[in-house]
């Protein structure tokens, strides 16, 4: 008996189980996402390969280091398991978008579309805020503009048969957020607490770096809650944490997404959500 075809009683029971477990067992099949860690031990970036099972159409997100990404893609192309249709960038920084042209060369696909913000290397298409497109037949993608870390930051929300994920680049990390290199606290507040917070709570988050362990050190100093301690324990045990937490989890353990929390207001000495965001980022920048 499969989960999907189970009796109504079984499905109700399973639903009950999933509501109490921290990492719910999906009742539908999960989207095919392959993480490709880059520069492990230094900047700890992630590229992500997203594949539509039915058509094999695929996109590669932030393939900034071709020596680590191209071999994976070449093998998948040769094996016939993917049909690469685009490079997707979350923002223009070199450790996300700096490999676009080199990757095209190495794959021998000089016209491979590059979907990203206006400042991405070789960009050919910038989706408008809220604009949708498809990967193959099953994966629907929506570009969400989240300017702040860079003005051209775009998060990509993807849905496939009920499975929901968001690629957040350097805007949202597990238990943290990106530095405000080109933006303000007001912009990051809007990005995290309006745009991303509006996504379904069961949307899995795939950030651009493995920063959880260092983020949680700061988080626990500000908010030593059960949720933050639980994230800390997970990060201690697991080298890779990408995709293991949802938007709903971030609302609980990410101090940058809890402006309404009295403990956060106390720690920052502020009550206005924008002032809280600005102050928290300042505190994190000075945290050692
Ligand atoms: Zn960046």
């Amino acid at each position: 008996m499969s989960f999907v075809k189970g009796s109504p009683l079984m499905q109700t029971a399973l639903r009950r189980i999933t509501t109490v477990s921290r990492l719910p067992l999906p009742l539908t099949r999960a989207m095919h996402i392959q993480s490709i860690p880059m520069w492990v031990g230094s900047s700890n970036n992630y590229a992500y390969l997203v594949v539509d099972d039915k058509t094999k159409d695929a996109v590669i997100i932030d393939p900034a280091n071709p020596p680590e990404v191209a071999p994976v893609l070449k093998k998948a192309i040769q094996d016939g398991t993917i049909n690469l249709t685009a490079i997707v960038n979350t923002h223009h920084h070199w450790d996300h978008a700096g490999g676009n042209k080199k990757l095209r060369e190495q794959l021998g696909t000089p016209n491979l579309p590059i979907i990203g913000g206006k400042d991405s290397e070789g960009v050919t298409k910038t989706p408008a805020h809220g604009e949708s497109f498809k990967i193959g037949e099953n994966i629907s993608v929506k570009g969400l503009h989240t300017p702040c870390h860079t003005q051209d930051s775009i998060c990509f929300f993807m849905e496939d048969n009920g499975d929901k994920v968001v690629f957040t680049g350097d805007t949202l990390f597990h238990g943290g957020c990106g530095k405000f290199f080109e933006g303000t606290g007001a912009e990051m507040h809007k990005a995290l607490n309006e745009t991303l917070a509006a996504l379904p709570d069961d949307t899995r988050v795939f950030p651009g770096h493995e920063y959880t362990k260092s983020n949680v050190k700061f988080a626990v100093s500000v908010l030593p809650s059960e949720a933050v301690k639980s994230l800390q324990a997970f990060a201690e045990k697991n080298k890779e944490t990408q995709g293991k937490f949802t938007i709903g989890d971030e609302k609980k353990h990410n101090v940058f997404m809890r402006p309404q929390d009295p403990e956060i207001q106390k720690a920052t000495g502020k009550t206005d959500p924008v002032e809280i965001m600005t102050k928290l980022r300042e505190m994190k920048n000075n945290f050692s």
Side-chain angles (χ1 to χ4, degrees):
M1 183 190 289
S2 76
F3 291 156
V4 178
K5 287 179 186 160
S7 69
L9 197 67
M10 172 68 98
Q11 289 189 11
T12 308
L14 281 168
R15 242 175 258 130
R16 286 222 181 97
I17 293 165
T18 61
T19 51
V20 293
S21 71
R22 197 168 51 78
L23 294 171
L25 195 66
L27 291 174
T28 51
R29 80 189 152 78
M31 209 175 308
H32 195 275
I33 297 166
Q34 182 180 353
S35 303
I36 305 173
M38 299 177 294
W39 297 295
V40 173
S42 54
S43 61
N44 296 311
N45 284 69
Y46 286 119
Y48 296 106
L49 177 63
V50 184
V51 188
D52 174 47
D53 284 335
K54 192 168 177 194
T55 59
K56 314 280 187 229
D57 281 2
V59 300
I60 183 74
I61 300 176
D62 288 353
N65 192 21
E68 292 183 280
V69 180
V72 178
L73 297 179
K74 279 181 184 166
K75 182 168 190 317
I77 292 166
Q78 275 160 14
D79 292 350
T81 55
I82 67 165
N83 166 38
L84 193 65
T85 60
I87 291 170
V88 172
N89 287 147
T90 58
H91 64 296
H92 72 81
H93 283 159
W94 69 270
D95 61 327
H96 297 264
N100 291 349
K101 287 182 177 171
K102 206 174 272 175
L103 184 70
R104 273 172 158 183
E105 274 169 35
Q106 291 190 8
L107 296 177
T109 53
N111 298 317
L112 186 66
I114 297 169
I115 300 167
K118 62 182 173 57
D119 300 322
S120 267
E121 182 180 288
V123 65
T124 59
K125 158 98 183 148
T126 298
H129 179 62
E131 187 180 340
S132 295
F133 58 95
K134 285 230 159 194
I135 301 170
E137 281 181 23
N138 293 320
I139 303 177
S140 63
V141 185
K142 193 186 273 187
L144 300 169
H145 289 206
T146 51
C148 179
H149 175 73
T150 64
Q151 278 300 307
D152 76 343
S153 288
I154 300 177
C155 294
F156 291 92
F157 174 68
M158 301 192 187
E159 232 177 326
D160 177 2
N161 195 26
D163 187 25
K164 297 177 272 295
V165 301
V166 63
F167 296 91
T168 54
D170 289 358
T171 295
L172 172 66
F173 299 119
H174 295 312
C177 71
K179 287 186 177 168
F180 307 171
F181 285 121
E182 299 177 8
T184 63
E187 286 176 312
M188 189 56 90
H189 172 64
K190 189 177 180 199
L192 300 189
N193 296 317
E194 292 177 19
T195 306
L196 294 175
L199 294 176
D201 274 349
D202 60 349
T203 305
R204 291 181 290 145
V205 176
F206 288 84
H209 293 262
E210 182 58 60
Y211 283 166
T212 311
K213 217 170 162 179
S214 65
N215 282 337
V216 83
K217 269 185 205 153
F218 170 71
V220 83
S221 78
V222 176
L223 182 68
S225 66
E226 283 313 307
V228 175
K229 284 181 193 165
S230 155
L231 177 65
Q232 188 174 37
F234 190 88
E236 287 300 328
K237 272 187 254 142
N238 297 276
K239 263 184 91 176
E240 295 190 6
T241 61
Q242 77 283 17
K244 296 295 195 297
F245 299 96
T246 62
I247 289 291
D249 294 326
E250 295 304 326
K251 287 176 185 172
K252 291 181 192 136
H253 66 210
N254 194 319
V255 295
F256 295 92
M257 291 183 81
R258 298 186 60 80
Q260 75 293 354
D261 188 325
E263 288 297 312
I264 299 287
Q265 298 187 355
K266 209 171 113 190
T268 54
K270 310 280 183 194
T271 51
D272 175 72
V274 171
E275 287 182 21
I276 288 173
M277 179 63 78
T278 306
K279 180 73 184 176
L280 273 177
R281 189 62 250 179
E282 206 179 285
M283 288 163 67
K284 170 79 165 74
N285 291 349
N286 296 324
F287 186 77
S288 53

